[in-house]
Amino acid sequence: MTLIEVNELAPVGAPLYDLRKIFNLNGSYEHVDFSLITIQPGSRVPETGDGFHDADEYSYFLEGEVYTVSGEDIGTVGKGQATLIPKGEHHWCENRTDKPCTLVCMMVK
């Protein structure tokens, strides 16, 4: 998993706007899904074991946090951070807080 501290990225576009490029994709794509996900307090995804995808998973965390295990990476990811989980990498997460965790997720195949 690649973890990005979005607030540490250099902004461009001032003074009209603040753009921070999180990920830059080049190439042709078979399929793209763009989702808003909320993981409720106490919830684990998946409920048991781990999961993986046949697409790269790009996520940006809007609020809250989750404990995650992805490949060899273990830790907490939350608001203002972005992650890339490459296709085929086994991972899972759990919201161990008392607040929902909301993220935007894009799956690119």
Side-chain angles (χ1 to χ4, degrees):
M1 176 177 72
T2 300
L3 176 66
I4 297 172
E5 296 290 345
V6 175
N7 64 345
E8 294 177 8
L9 297 174
V12 298
L16 300 177
Y17 58 90
D18 182 335
L19 181 145
R20 294 166 196 254
K21 191 172 287 189
I22 301 171
F23 299 109
N24 184 12
L25 306 175
N26 294 312
S28 60
Y29 308 102
E30 180 180 319
H31 190 82
V32 175
D33 285 320
F34 189 73
S35 305
L36 180 66
I37 301 169
T38 300
I39 302 169
Q40 298 301 327
S43 295
R44 186 184 191 281
V45 179
E47 288 186 84
T48 61
D50 60 22
F52 66 94
H53 311 286
D54 64 351
D56 292 328
E57 179 180 328
Y58 298 86
S59 298
Y60 178 71
F61 289 76
L62 300 171
E63 67 179 2
E65 66 179 40
V66 292
Y67 175 81
T68 188
V69 175
S70 184
E72 299 297 317
D73 298 305
I74 299 171
T76 301
V77 180
K79 182 179 179 177
Q81 294 181 306
T83 59
L84 163 59
I85 300 174
K87 69 179 178 179
E89 184 166 283
H90 288 256
H91 60 284
W92 61 272
C93 69
E94 183 176 22
N95 184 342
R96 295 180 173 179
T97 75
D98 61 353
K99 296 179 180 149
C101 177
T102 302
L103 59 133
V104 174
C105 178
M106 186 168 57
M107 304 293 287
V108 180
K109 185 174 179 182

